[in-house]
Amino acid sequence: MSIFDKKITELHNALEQKQVSVSELIDASFQRIKQTDDQLKAFLTLNEEQAKQKAKQLDEQGSLQGERGLLFGLPIAVKDNIVTEHVTTTAGSKMLENYDPIYNATVMDRICASESILIGKTNMDEFGMGGSTENSAFQVTVNPWNKEYVPGGSSGGSAAAVAARQAFFALGSDTGGSIRQPAAYCGVVGLKPTYGLVSRFGLISYASSLDTIGPITKNVEDAAYLLSVLAAHDPYDSTSADVDVPDYISALNGNVKGLKVGVPKELLGEGVDQEIKDKIQQALKTLEGMGAIVEEVSLPHTEYAVPTYYILGPSEASSNLARYDGVRFGMRSESGNDLIQMYKETRSQGFGAEVKRRIMLGTYALSSGYYDAYYKKAQQVRTLIKQDFDELFANYDVLIGPTTPTTAYKIGEKVADPLKMYLNDICTAPVNLAGIPAISVPCGLTNDGLPVGLQIMGKHFDESTVLRVAHAFEQQTDHHSARPQL
Amino acid sequence: MSGITKEQVEHVADLARLNLSDEEAEKYTIQLNDILTFFEKLKDVDTTNVEPTSHVMPIYNVMREDENRPSVKREEALKNAPDHDEGHFKVPAVMEE
């Protein structure tokens, strides 16, 4: 087994028994990135010098924190919309091409305290807007399973890096499915936590009421480790929930006997590829075989989730992205003789087509005369979507369906048709609107050799059950062991 | 809800501080019309007496003690600014001469 296929616990043991040093792990990661990233284009920035320096320190001094951190000495890749002190952070946008943050996001402080080492920042759709990583201002990341296909988005760089074993694990962010969808397309595990469980302080905002940060990993156990590091109340984030964080690792007991699984029929309806439906049915049979009780249920407002999401997300984005005006940070256009023209030239040159489209959608939805018809209506439908989930979770422990209606599609196939791209979020967006946790785990490959993702959704703050079911499924199958050949 | 005209797209772009070329305005008018037509699905949903949800968690008025504490240093705050002068952000002239 390659060192890149090892789990966090196995890497801990290898470090403990001095079979490998931290510096060797870091060197191996950079070597792998240099061998493969010309093809993949998963990384925007490498943090090589600092990473090697920190590795050397850890090798020489042992733990820098007294007791070894949970991710001691292990390399991590981080999506480029999470700010990293003195490591360029672009959010995939020309607007922030040279942005050098003066502080760390709270999650990065927690990653550093766990003694994990940042190896680089990964490519993404600009400001998290897109489902293919084709909307990055800098490069198009490809799917490691087939380089003609997209890796999904917007955390496509992080998912591709983990799938290609360039990184042992990574961070992504998820506003309408941006962790789970690329995880499904790339055949890795992606966890979107409950809204508020992980601090958003230092996450470059897209839609503040929907954005979450979460792990992208090779297996469920690693996701539990990473979540244990990330989850905590943060006084710097007013939306951070002050709740007890359970022991996610001990929750992975493999037991799903008697557990009630609801399968929303709307997530397996028209528009979902037959091969995907078949893989999901097989997965449900596996869980039934382990003693879970599987029943068909209904989320009646599912068909309204995509329009609701694409009104609320852009509305919040139009407000959040107003800060990019060329005054305090980011690029400034050289043209524009007065202040207003400078704003306009800067924003027109700095933002890409998808970002402009969403800013205009949001500005329109919030404008006088349209507010009630679009924004208020979408907020009301969001209430109904959340109620659908609440009602089911009164009787079911988890809900299960596909992560995406199709597998990865070809680069360039949908980029000119935004609505077609938006419809791909049908299985993931309802989860963000309700604020619940959900994980995508690999559940097989199609005949074309592309990965399929199984989505497991849970109650607010019940990541333990979501992880337990995902882990039990993973133990019973071998889908997560499949890896792309590069 | 109704379709959006090219003039409205240009007006919205102006509100959002974006310049659009004629070609871009044409393209966005077609695309936004497609998307707004799709949004009309929401008209089918009866939302009578349904409260809007702006935030999924019941968190209101999170306050901290009003105490002095260290803040970002001026030179750090200006570090990423495209232009600054004597400790201030510098912008093009606002007033005409």
Side-chain angles (χ1 to χ4, degrees), chain A residues 252-469:
Chain A
L252 309 179
N253 58 21
N255 183 14
V256 293
K257 199 168 168 31
L259 189 111
K260 287 196 76 182
V261 176
V263 183
K265 61 181 179 191
E266 293 80 4
L267 297 183
L268 286 169
E270 213 181 314
V272 180
D273 283 357
Q274 190 57 46
E275 255 191 301
I276 291 193
K277 288 182 191 173
D278 294 344
K279 297 284 175 205
I280 303 302
Q281 293 299 349
Q282 283 170 21
L284 292 167
K285 284 203 168 63
T286 301
L287 288 168
E288 266 185 320
M290 297 168 73
I293 301 156
V294 177
E295 290 173 2
E296 185 182 273
V297 295
S298 175
L299 287 170
H301 294 93
T302 299
E303 67 174 300
Y304 306 109
V306 172
T308 301
Y309 169 71
Y310 278 100
I311 291 172
L312 299 182
S315 295
E316 292 182 21
S318 70
S319 166
N320 275 324
L321 270 60
R323 72 190 64 168
Y324 301 100
D325 56 10
V327 175
R328 286 144 300 148
F329 49 82
M331 68 161 273
R332 173 187 290 192
S333 168
E334 295 297 323
S335 46
N337 295 326
D338 63 35
L339 190 63
I340 300 294
Q341 278 311 317
M342 188 276 282
Y343 291 158
K344 285 185 168 181
E345 290 293 333
T346 296
R347 290 166 62 78
S348 301
Q349 292 168 26
F351 291 139
E354 182 61 35
V355 172
K356 286 181 194 170
R357 187 157 41 236
R358 293 198 197 188
I359 288 175
M360 287 194 288
L361 258 182
T363 305
Y364 183 72
L366 291 175
S367 60
S368 171
Y370 297 101
Y371 179 90
D372 282 358
Y374 290 106
Y375 189 72
K376 188 180 170 196
K377 182 82 178 179
Q379 297 278 47
Q380 289 172 310
V381 178
R382 179 190 218 183
T383 304
L384 297 173
I385 290 170
K386 184 172 177 289
Q387 282 172 0
D388 285 351
F389 278 106
D390 289 344
E391 282 167 23
L392 288 183
F393 283 127
N395 294 309
Y396 294 88
D397 296 294
V398 290
L399 302 177
I400 288 184
T403 308
T404 55
T406 68
T407 51
Y409 45 88
K410 282 196 169 169
I411 291 168
E413 191 179 320
K414 293 188 184 179
V415 79
D417 188 346
L419 187 55
K420 212 169 169 185
M421 183 94 80
Y422 297 171
L423 289 168
N424 244 40
D425 294 342
I426 183 66
C427 303
T428 49
V431 164
N432 297 74
L433 292 167
I436 58 172
I439 196 168
S440 179
V441 290
C443 67
L445 299 175
T446 61
N447 292 333
D448 291 339
L450 291 169
V452 177
L454 178 78
Q455 184 174 212
I456 303 164
M457 299 158 264
K459 299 170 194 172
H460 286 123
F461 301 108
D462 193 15
E463 276 76 3
S464 295
T465 304
V466 170
L467 286 162
R468 174 158 64 96
V469 177

Side-chain angles (χ1 to χ4, degrees), chain A residues 223-264:
Chain A
Y225 264 92
L226 218 48
L227 186 65
S228 303
V229 168
L230 300 176
H233 177 244
D234 179 13
Y236 286 155
D237 173 3
S238 66
T239 60
S240 169
D242 195 359
V243 293
D244 290 334
V245 175
D247 180 350
Y248 298 119
I249 299 156
S250 70
L252 309 179
N253 58 21
N255 183 14
V256 293
K257 199 168 168 31
L259 189 111
K260 287 196 76 182
V261 176
V263 183

Side-chain angles (χ1 to χ4, degrees), chain A residues 1-35:
Chain A
M1 181 197 274
S2 150
I3 193 155
F4 293 103
D5 291 322
K6 287 187 185 296
K7 294 192 293 188
I8 287 174
T9 44
E10 293 167 337
L11 291 164
H12 278 162
N13 288 339
L15 285 166
E16 191 72 42
Q17 290 163 19
K18 301 202 185 307
Q19 291 163 354
V20 67
S21 69
V22 177
S23 294
E24 284 168 337
L25 283 183
I26 294 291
D27 288 347
S29 291
F30 284 112
Q31 203 180 350
R32 175 81 181 152
I33 291 168
K34 281 169 190 167
Q35 279 168 355

Side-chain angles (χ1 to χ4, degrees), chain A residues 32-70:
Chain A
R32 175 81 181 152
I33 291 168
K34 281 169 190 167
Q35 279 168 355
T36 53
D37 212 46
D38 277 353
Q39 309 167 57
L40 275 187
K41 303 211 179 305
F43 281 86
L44 289 174
T45 304
L46 293 182
N47 189 39
E48 191 164 0
E49 203 179 310
Q50 286 184 49
K52 286 185 171 175
Q53 202 181 338
K54 189 167 172 193
K56 200 168 161 225
Q57 269 183 302
L58 290 177
D59 279 331
E60 284 171 2
Q61 298 175 31
S63 173
L64 301 176
Q65 318 285 351
E67 199 174 316
R68 276 193 172 189
L70 209 55

Side-chain angles (χ1 to χ4, degrees), chain A residues 100 238 303 310 326-330 332 344-345 347-348 353 357 360 370 373 377 379-380 382-383 433, chain B residues 1 8 12 14 16-17 19 28 31 39 41-42 45 47 50-51 53-54 56 79-82 89-90:
Chain A
D100 176 20
S238 66
E303 67 174 300
Y310 278 100
V327 175
R328 286 144 300 148
F329 49 82
R332 173 187 290 192
K344 285 185 168 181
E345 290 293 333
R347 290 166 62 78
S348 301
R357 187 157 41 236
M360 287 194 288
Y370 297 101
K377 182 82 178 179
Q379 297 278 47
Q380 289 172 310
R382 179 190 218 183
T383 304
L433 292 167
Chain B
M1 297 186 197
Q8 283 175 308
V12 167
D14 187 53
R17 300 284 186 248
N19 286 329
Y28 283 125
Q31 291 179 340
F39 287 173
K41 275 173 89 78
L42 294 189
V45 188
T47 50
V50 175
E51 285 295 314
T53 297
S54 57
V56 287
K79 188 170 170 279
N80 279 287
F89 295 108
K90 196 174 174 187

